[in-house]
Amino acid sequence: MAALRLWSRCRWKAGARELRAGARGLAGKYEYDLLVIGGGSGGLACSKEAAQYDRKVVVLDYVEPSPKGTRWGLGGTCVNVGCIPKKLMHHAALLGGAIKDAKNYGWDIPLPVQHDWGTMANAVQSHVKSLNWGHLVQLQDRKVKYKNLKGVFLDKHTVQGESKQGEKTILTAENIVISTGGRPKYPLDVPGAELGISSDDIFWLQDSPGKTLIIGASYVALECAGFLTGVGLDTSVMVRSIPLRGFDQQMAHLVTDYLASYGTRIFWKCTPIKIEKLDNGKLQVIWKNLESDVEERESFDTVMWAVVTCEGGGEHLKCNQELTETR
């Protein structure tokens, strides 16, 4: 075993030398050895790993604003509009529950307590921005170039980068990695769908979303419903068929039962038909109850989409591939 480990270390070192030699050989042909399009978890890990072998690496990262105009910094979905802000908002909701329980354990806390969305949002967004800065520093420490550009292929070794001001830059690389992930999608067949938001927006709202309807039963939908209910907001979830498709349904219904027990309303077997903006600024949602075949309606302050749309449009809510919000 000792001999095998020694042989493995020697082969690893030899491979590293070959990579460094290859990098030096390519230096005159292309500007970079590796160009990574996308500054999320995958793109950052790939670029930093390659840089350890003396490769000349550049990362392009550009956030196309959501339909509502939301944009963010380096780090991808998890850091900016996924795991990190979601867990912080869940923590805020749990703290509220703990305060209510504390009185039973001797803490003299006046009830009821009130939650301030703006204070929470500032704290969450400040933390996310500190992570954006941390990723920039890590790239700099590893001598990885970072460019806030949107990359478009011109050929297999050439990418045109475009800044938000419209300035264009040509970059060439021996190897190019696409690591752009995905974004939430709006349905194409529901009039007024553009009046809603997605999870790209919910974490960056400066003001409370108020009474909220979440359309979809993906894990993104149910997670957001959980923390919105937890901070005291009137929250509803519209489910076309089953919750958490692709997951064990006994466990999935335990989740929805738990949400309902804490006050989340769940509209089962319902599909949206249209969204209209009322004179008072609220959004009226008209939907069809698939069991009773009756149209129903209610007004909300915010409608959030958390569904998957089918390729080429069409009846997105009848798509058999409706699993989770596209990320």
Side-chain angles (χ1 to χ4, degrees):
M1 289 297 294
L4 180 60
R5 285 195 295 270
L6 178 61
W7 180 83
S8 298
R9 283 198 297 271
C10 291
R11 289 300 304 153
W12 184 89
K13 290 179 180 177
R17 285 195 296 272
E18 290 171 7
L19 283 170
R20 285 193 289 270
R24 287 191 292 272
L26 293 170
K29 190 173 183 183
Y30 300 105
E31 186 179 0
Y32 296 97
D33 301 309
L34 176 66
L35 186 152
V36 179
I37 302 176
S41 302
L44 292 175
C46 173
S47 63
K48 289 185 285 189
E49 193 70 19
Q52 291 187 46
Y53 297 101
D54 292 341
R55 294 282 183 168
K56 190 175 181 183
V57 183
V58 62
V59 173
L60 304 189
D61 187 65
Y62 181 86
V63 178
E64 197 75 57
S66 75
K68 292 297 182 182
T70 305
R71 61 169 73 237
W72 52 87
L74 181 64
T77 293
C78 190
V79 168
N80 295 283
V81 290
C83 309
I84 301 301
K86 174 198 70 185
K87 288 177 181 176
L88 292 173
M89 289 186 174
H90 269 291
H91 185 59
L94 291 171
L95 287 173
I99 290 171
K100 293 172 185 175
D101 291 337
K103 196 170 185 67
N104 296 323
Y105 291 91
W107 291 99
D108 186 13
I109 299 173
L111 296 176
V113 293
Q114 297 296 320
H115 179 265
D116 183 77
W117 178 278
T119 300
M120 177 189 69
N122 286 335
V124 170
Q125 291 160 17
S126 293
H127 181 72
V128 169
K129 289 174 183 177
S130 75
L131 297 179
N132 298 150
W133 176 254
H135 283 302
L136 287 169
V137 171
Q138 289 176 23
L139 291 181
Q140 186 176 28
D141 289 346
R142 289 164 176 77
K143 296 181 172 57
V144 175
K145 288 280 188 182
Y146 163 71
K147 295 182 181 292
N148 184 208
L149 301 174
K150 182 178 181 179
V152 178
F153 276 91
L154 297 182
D155 61 46
K156 66 179 182 178
H157 294 292
T158 309
V159 168
Q160 176 181 276
E162 184 173 348
S163 70
K164 64 181 179 180
Q165 291 82 20
E167 298 172 352
K168 296 179 180 179
T169 305
I170 301 297
L171 304 104
T172 61
E174 170 68 8
N175 299 288
I176 299 175
V177 170
I178 302 172
S179 185
T180 53
R183 297 287 293 275
K185 297 183 183 297
Y186 282 58
L188 302 177
D189 59 338
V190 178
E194 72 280 358
L195 297 171
I197 66 170
S198 72
S199 58
D200 278 356
D201 307 296
I202 192 75
F203 300 113
W204 290 89
L205 294 179
Q206 293 298 321
D207 299 316
S208 171
K211 181 181 177 182
T212 302
L213 172 65
I214 298 173
I215 301 177
S218 64
Y219 69 88
V220 173
L222 300 187
E223 286 173 342
C224 290
F227 71 71
L228 290 176
T229 301
V231 299
L233 298 181
D234 183 342
T235 307
S236 303
V237 176
M238 185 174 289
V239 186
R240 175 184 63 89
S241 53
I242 60 174
L244 298 173
R245 184 182 298 278
F247 291 80
D248 178 89
Q249 282 302 291
Q250 183 180 13
M251 297 302 295
H253 280 280
L254 285 175
V255 173
T256 52
D257 289 348
Y258 186 81
L259 284 170
S261 73
Y262 273 81
T264 304
R265 292 190 302 162
I266 301 180
F267 302 150
W268 294 103
K269 307 295 182 184
C270 293
T271 180
I273 297 173
K274 181 167 60 173
I275 301 176
E276 301 172 331
K277 191 163 187 176
L278 303 176
D279 292 340
N280 62 6
K282 292 185 180 293
L283 302 178
Q284 179 173 254
V285 181
I286 303 169
W287 68 86
K288 185 175 184 180
N289 187 309
L290 299 176
E291 289 188 324
S292 64
D293 201 35
V294 172
E295 284 191 12
E296 300 172 352
R297 64 186 62 202
E298 189 172 334
S299 61
F300 300 87
D301 297 307
T302 301
V303 174
M304 178 181 142
W305 293 103
V307 299
V308 162
T309 58
C310 294
E311 290 298 322
E315 298 182 27
H316 72 284
L317 295 172
K318 295 183 181 179
C319 178
N320 291 328
Q321 299 302 314
E322 181 190 352
L323 302 178
T324 63
E325 181 184 17
T326 304
R327 301 305 303 170

